[in-house]
Amino acid sequence: MLVTGFPAGMFQTNCYVLAHDGADECVVVDPGQDATEPLFRFLNESGVTPVAVLLTHGHLDHTWSVAPVCEKFGIPAYIHAEDRYMLSDPIRGTGPALAALLGDTEFNEPDDVAELVAGSSLDLAGITFDVVHTPGHTPGSVVFTVDVDTPDGTLAVALTGDTLFAGSIGRTDLPGGNHEQLLRSIADSLLPLADDTVILPGHGGQSTIGQERASNPFLVGLSGTEQGKL
């Protein structure tokens, strides 16, 4: 399976593309600011066409380019219901500090928006994405998990958005953020994953669940549900 990503825009938000080897369809995750040009170039060079855009949450640095991508290919965007309002009103989700940056820029929902359901699975481009609701960074934050076939066997991958980073966790000082809820989401939904699960975060480099459990300073003393409480 092809899993590739690149940081885009002033926020350096990671946009990911997933496709089976040799397939002509793919899925795009979190196309942020200035993601369209490099994304369209990659799609053209790779000969793959997206069938959907998946959004880990509603913050503008992850959704900036979702409407033009969906419009170009006539595809749906998937987002959790609790973050959907940010597609058309991003300032509500990020606060007034962003207003000066946006100026008169207007944002609208794509024509086709599907709401993600916690615990459900999506079969897109021949890939099964499991939807894990991880509120805390935003009320509608989700993590997408997928099994990737490699020459060494099946590898679990988690697209963690801004819930969990390499060496850090998502901020919770924006509207709708809740620090304790974020820690609970990580403890209940991410720490129980296998140590070798690769995490592909919304910003920065990749890591593994085992590495973060062992060395992430924000997770000290944090236990998964099978190990007890916070």
Side-chain angles (χ1 to χ4, degrees):
M1 184 184 293
L2 166 71
V3 182
T4 190
F6 59 90
M10 70 178 73
F11 306 103
Q12 290 292 280
T13 302
N14 291 328
C15 176
Y16 294 101
V17 178
L18 293 88
H20 280 298
D21 288 341
D24 57 7
E25 293 182 335
C26 69
V27 175
V28 175
V29 181
D30 287 355
Q33 184 198 32
D34 294 337
T36 53
E37 182 176 341
L39 174 62
F40 294 164
R41 183 172 60 249
F42 173 80
L43 296 174
N44 183 62
E45 293 173 352
S46 302
V48 292
T49 301
V51 298
V53 173
L54 302 183
L55 300 172
T56 59
H57 63 290
H59 282 161
L60 185 60
D61 58 324
H62 292 252
T63 67
W64 194 298
S65 299
V66 63
V69 173
C70 289
E71 179 181 1
K72 179 177 177 64
F73 296 101
I75 58 176
Y78 289 79
I79 190 169
H80 193 278
E82 292 192 65
D83 277 13
R84 181 172 178 171
Y85 71 91
M86 284 187 264
L87 292 176
S88 57
D89 192 3
I91 292 178
R92 279 182 59 198
T94 52
L98 188 63
L101 171 66
L102 296 182
D104 296 329
T105 305
E106 295 184 1
F107 293 89
N108 297 288
E109 283 194 357
D111 291 336
D112 187 358
V113 177
E115 294 184 353
L116 296 166
V117 177
S120 65
S121 296
L122 302 172
D123 291 317
L124 301 165
I127 305 169
T128 300
F129 296 85
D130 291 327
V131 180
V132 183
H133 187 207
T134 56
H137 177 63
T138 67
S141 287
V142 301
V143 168
F144 299 105
T145 60
V146 60
D147 289 333
V148 177
D149 291 329
T150 75
D152 298 320
T154 301
L155 182 67
V157 172
L159 297 134
T160 58
D162 286 2
T163 294
L164 180 64
F165 303 119
S168 188
I169 61 174
R171 62 187 294 182
T172 55
D173 58 331
L174 297 174
N178 184 309
H179 184 72
E180 291 302 317
Q181 188 179 47
L182 176 62
L183 292 178
R184 173 59 60 195
S185 290
I186 294 172
D188 290 351
S189 299
L190 299 186
L191 289 187
L193 298 176
D195 280 353
D196 61 355
T197 300
V198 174
I199 66 167
L200 301 178
H203 304 270
Q206 69 182 52
S207 184
T208 65
I209 289 294
Q211 178 67 28
E212 295 314 301
R213 185 187 290 112
S215 64
N216 190 317
F218 293 92
L219 306 187
V220 173
L222 198 60
S223 299
T225 49
E226 80 285 357
Q227 297 170 300
K229 299 181 177 180
L230 288 171

